[in-house]
Amino acid sequence: MQNFWITEEAIEINDVVKKVTRAEAGAISTFIGTVRELTKGKRTLYLEYQAYTAMAEKKLEEIGREIDERWENTQTAIAHRVGRLEISDIAVVIAVSTPHRKDAFEASRYAIERIKEIVPIWKKEHWENGELWIGDQKEQVSYDGNFPAKEEMQND
């Protein structure tokens, strides 16, 4: 059963939640990241995500292992979408089950922060007055209208 995947298809939230549902879990925390219309005062028309899929799925699995090490008795599933996404489309779904809610909330937040730090996914913002590739999900690297080089997409 694959709990960590990149997809070009719409993400079904219940499919992700089912992967972590189990008798010993008293809490399942979900995080759903969607495409917002306004970012720093700019109106977004749509987003385009690209990923180095094989590496991205390995990094999502790594995040799952980190969560297992930090919080006892967890189960994690993460799906991230690539391709063109419209306003309000779901970009990422994280589900974490734990025996108690505090750990589920903390682990879920940890997962989205780690995705932004280590998973090779690039986002192209299409605003009403231009577009820009964002080189990392913390939005600290941009490419001034150019797509990231293949070498940059394959860096670990």
Side-chain angles (χ1 to χ4, degrees), residues 61-130:
E61 288 179 34
E62 181 179 323
I63 292 167
R65 285 192 302 275
E66 291 174 359
I67 288 171
D68 285 346
E69 292 170 7
R70 289 174 172 254
W71 290 275
E72 189 174 321
N73 194 8
T74 61
Q75 183 79 39
T76 303
I78 304 171
H80 201 296
R81 190 168 168 197
V82 293
R84 180 178 168 144
L85 280 71
E86 306 297 330
I87 303 302
S88 299
D89 280 353
I90 295 172
V92 62
V93 175
I94 299 166
V96 180
S97 67
T98 62
H100 304 286
R101 67 180 177 273
K102 181 181 177 202
D103 288 347
F105 284 131
E106 290 175 358
S108 181
R109 182 182 178 122
Y110 178 84
I112 190 62
E113 298 301 331
R114 289 295 285 158
I115 288 170
K116 290 177 176 282
E117 289 173 355
I118 69 168
V119 180
I121 296 173
W122 296 267
K123 175 174 69 174
K124 188 173 189 178
E125 292 266 6
H126 293 267
W127 298 295
E128 59 187 358
N129 60 352

Side-chain angles (χ1 to χ4, degrees), residues 2 4-8 50-60 82 119-122 153:
Q2 182 182 10
F4 306 95
W5 70 99
I6 302 293
T7 182
E8 294 180 11
Q50 297 278 333
Y52 175 29
T53 300
M55 181 58 70
E57 289 178 341
K58 286 181 182 174
K59 291 297 187 180
L60 293 176
V82 293
V119 180
I121 296 173
W122 296 267
M153 292 182 71

